[in-house]
Amino acid sequence: MIMKFCKYFLMLVALLALVSCGKEPDPAGGGGGSDTPKDWTISGIVKGNDGALLEGVVVSDGQYCVKTDKQGRYYLPSNLSRGEHEYVMVSTPSGYSAPVQDGHATFWKWLKDCSKDTNGKYVADFTLEKISNPNRYKVLMFGDPQPRKRSASLDKFAYSSLDMCEDMYLDMKEYVAANKSYPVYGIGLGDIVHQDLTLLAQYKNGMSITGVTTYNVIGNHDQTNKTLPDSESWKPFAEQMGPVNYSFDLGKVHYLMLDNMISPGNGPADDNCATGLTDEIWEWVKNDLAHVSFDTQLMVCAHSPMMMTESGSNRTGSHLNDLRYLLSKYKKAYVWAGHTHTTFNYVDTADPVIETHTVSRVTGTLWNNEYLGANGI
């Protein structure tokens, strides 16, 4: 089954020993805000499971990004009166990982579940798990599993997408068993389900048996109601899977996970989305990368290709040129996506540090082949 697995997964082996030092981020690339804001509303401590207080860890509410001090404490100036900031999340640093639940890294806390101090301010502490030899690991990139219920009319004359996802889980489990020397991470590149969020529970249960620590981005089919404005359409997915814009470090590489599917806000429910970044998401991207040295390699993951299209032309969309300019400042930027159900890879001729890597549908071509993508990969 491992041979079949290799046909429809792209594997990135990260055996990295890069130096993460050098130029400080250009202020033009965004600002992370003060690490000790005057009017903070959320605070907490980030520590390791060995008790070490972790300095310099980036914590965010989806808008502001601040770093922990020498005591591992952070202070966030979230504007809670606007009702937009419902969570606090940590960008896990190299050498540590977030706790894993149902096969997924849990790097966030919902404010509704957090306690408050005597001044009525939220308290959210994080305990991260120390990992050995953090520069050696493997990553499985997979896109568009899109399970449907077996009773769905489409599967009656095609095949059951649930069965295909079950094959995916077994393949992953076998791969982990055959690669015990390295931890294995998985990144689901969107369309985790197809218009039915009740299937997310089965997805999490399936990933929990694999031994893979998984991160996901949101796809257009994960936004189940396109009549909602973009500021709301991601929330039903996030309630089960966590924030849809976040970051983390593996080894010396910074991973940036983005919601680049802008809901039309005027239906119908199964309508597509525009590719781009909203103003709010773009501001968060700048704030996050303001804490990342330009000598760092980036893995930027989203559902729809953002830099190059399948035809080899530059992608246009809200803030995509801004993103391209910012990414071009870094040592290397690998921009990953799914969405097209085909595999293609490009080096940006205008900005050679940027590479586009798009993977085919992990559960095969709809209606034709359950293991191969539309272009036979």
Side-chain angles (χ1 to χ4, degrees):
M1 190 172 287
I2 292 176
M3 289 300 294
K4 178 180 68 179
F5 170 89
C6 294
K7 291 181 181 178
Y8 56 86
F9 279 83
L10 284 185
M11 181 184 72
L12 173 67
V13 182
L15 306 176
L16 302 171
L18 304 177
V19 180
S20 182
C21 61
K23 294 183 294 182
E24 290 302 315
D26 188 337
S34 171
D35 289 348
T36 55
K38 180 179 179 181
D39 299 320
W40 56 273
T41 54
I42 307 170
S43 71
I45 293 175
V46 181
K47 63 181 180 180
N49 58 353
D50 56 358
L53 299 176
L54 302 182
E55 180 183 5
V57 178
V58 175
V59 183
S60 177
D61 62 357
Q63 178 183 10
Y64 297 103
C65 297
V66 299
K67 282 186 175 181
T68 55
D69 60 21
K70 292 181 179 180
Q71 286 72 47
R73 182 170 291 279
Y74 69 90
Y75 301 88
L76 271 168
S78 299
N79 185 355
L80 302 178
S81 64
R82 297 174 60 187
E84 296 177 0
H85 306 295
E86 302 172 357
Y87 57 84
V88 58
M89 59 184 176
V90 61
S91 182
T92 50
S94 179
Y96 289 88
S97 66
V100 176
Q101 183 176 1
D102 296 326
H104 288 76
T106 54
F107 52 87
W108 74 93
K109 292 189 176 183
W110 299 108
L111 290 183
K112 62 181 177 62
D113 298 327
C114 295
S115 62
K116 293 185 177 180
D117 62 18
T118 55
N119 295 316
K121 298 182 178 183
Y122 285 102
V123 177
D125 296 335
F126 291 89
T127 300
L128 306 180
E129 299 176 4
K130 190 173 179 61
I131 57 178
S132 59
N133 203 4
N135 293 336
R136 301 177 70 84
Y137 61 90
K138 297 188 177 184
V139 173
L140 301 176
M141 299 284 187
F142 61 100
D144 302 82
Q146 295 189 49
R148 295 166 171 83
K149 290 183 177 178
R150 288 191 175 90
S151 60
S153 59
L154 294 176
D155 285 340
K156 290 181 179 179
F157 62 87
Y159 56 86
S160 172
S161 292
L162 279 180
D163 287 341
M164 294 305 99
C165 284
E166 288 165 2
D167 284 348
M168 178 182 79
Y169 306 140
L170 293 174
D171 288 350
M172 284 186 168
K173 184 177 181 180
E174 287 190 13
Y175 184 82
V176 171
N179 291 270
K180 294 182 179 180
S181 299
Y182 308 103
V184 179
Y185 299 90
I187 295 180
L189 293 167
D191 281 0
I192 303 303
V193 295
H194 184 90
Q195 303 300 132
D196 187 352
L197 296 183
T198 65
L199 295 177
L200 286 174
Q202 289 173 293
Y203 170 70
K204 291 192 288 186
N205 183 63
M207 293 303 298
S208 69
I209 72 168
T210 64
V212 174
T213 298
T214 310
Y215 298 87
N216 300 288
V217 299
I218 189 172
N220 54 298
H221 290 301
D222 300 318
Q223 299 185 34
T224 57
N225 187 349
K226 308 304 189 301
T227 63
L228 294 174
D230 191 76
S231 59
E232 298 289 329
S233 62
W234 58 273
K235 290 184 178 180
F237 178 86
E239 287 173 1
Q240 298 188 57
M241 306 302 289
V244 294
N245 297 285
Y246 58 98
S247 69
F248 56 92
D249 289 345
L250 292 177
K252 301 299 183 182
V253 180
H254 186 68
Y255 288 73
L256 192 64
M257 314 291 283
L258 300 178
D259 171 10
N260 73 341
M261 296 274 83
I262 302 177
S263 172
N266 55 8
D270 197 28
D271 198 10
N272 209 338
C273 299
T275 298
L277 303 176
T278 64
D279 293 345
E280 292 76 14
I281 294 173
W282 171 237
E283 287 302 314
W284 176 80
V285 169
K286 291 189 292 182
N287 290 344
D288 178 84
L289 291 181
H291 295 290
V292 180
S293 165
F294 288 148
D295 282 351
T296 304
Q297 291 197 30
L298 305 179
M299 295 285 183
V300 184
C301 301
H303 181 56
S304 179
M306 293 188 290
M307 299 292 102
M308 304 285 284
T309 67
E310 190 173 358
S311 64
S313 60
N314 284 342
R315 170 76 79 179
T316 59
S318 176
H319 290 298
L320 295 186
N321 282 335
D322 297 328
L323 179 64
R324 181 179 288 108
Y325 173 75
L326 183 53
L327 296 183
S328 70
K329 294 174 175 287
Y330 285 84
K331 182 174 183 177
K332 195 72 177 180
Y334 302 93
V335 185
W336 292 83
H339 189 52
T340 67
H341 296 196
T342 57
T343 298
F344 59 92
N345 306 280
Y346 291 108
V347 175
D348 193 318
T349 56
D351 295 304
V353 302
I354 300 174
E355 293 187 12
T356 291
H357 299 282
T358 302
V359 303
S360 60
R361 188 173 186 264
V362 72
T363 45
T365 305
L366 289 168
W367 333 128
N368 295 323
N369 191 298
E370 59 195 40
Y371 298 123
L372 296 178
N375 56 348
I377 297 178

